[in-house]
Amino acid sequence: MNKVSPKSLLHSKWTKVEVENKEKHFMITKVDVDDEQRIVECKIEAVISKNEYAINWRDLKDNQCWKQGWQ
C-alpha cells in the first residue's frame, strides 16, 4: 500500500502499473478541499498527452494500480 498524504498530494508524481492509451506517467494538478480540509476533488494529468482525469485520491494507495514517482 502506497502512503499518500493529502497535504503533499498536489504536484506529486505517479506511474500507472497498467498502461492505457500510452499514458503511464501522471502528475496531480488540482486538489480542492472543503471548509473542513477534506479533499472533495482531485485531478491527475497524463504527462505525455496532457489529458486530465478526475480521480479519487485514495485510489493512489493501491500499489497494484499505482506506483509513487515516475518509474
Side-chain angles (χ1 to χ4, degrees):
M1 182 171 271
N2 295 318
K3 290 186 178 184
V4 181
S5 169
K7 292 180 181 181
S8 63
L9 195 56
L10 188 61
H11 303 298
S12 62
K13 297 169 177 80
W14 296 88
T15 300
K16 195 165 189 178
V17 173
E18 292 186 24
V19 178
E20 295 175 25
N21 300 323
K22 298 182 182 177
E23 297 173 335
K24 181 177 181 179
H25 297 113
F26 293 82
M27 184 167 38
I28 303 295
T29 57
K30 182 177 182 182
V31 177
D32 286 337
V33 295
D34 62 12
D35 293 336
E36 297 170 5
Q37 299 302 310
R38 292 182 297 202
I39 295 176
V40 292
E41 182 181 27
C42 183
K43 298 258 180 157
I44 194 165
E45 181 181 294
V47 174
I48 196 165
S49 66
K50 303 293 185 198
N51 290 333
E52 196 170 63
Y53 304 97
I55 188 172
N56 181 337
W57 70 275
R58 289 182 180 93
D59 291 344
L60 297 169
K61 293 182 179 184
D62 184 358
N63 59 357
Q64 293 185 13
C65 295
W66 294 98
K67 293 184 180 180
Q68 202 163 17
W70 289 342
Q71 300 173 18

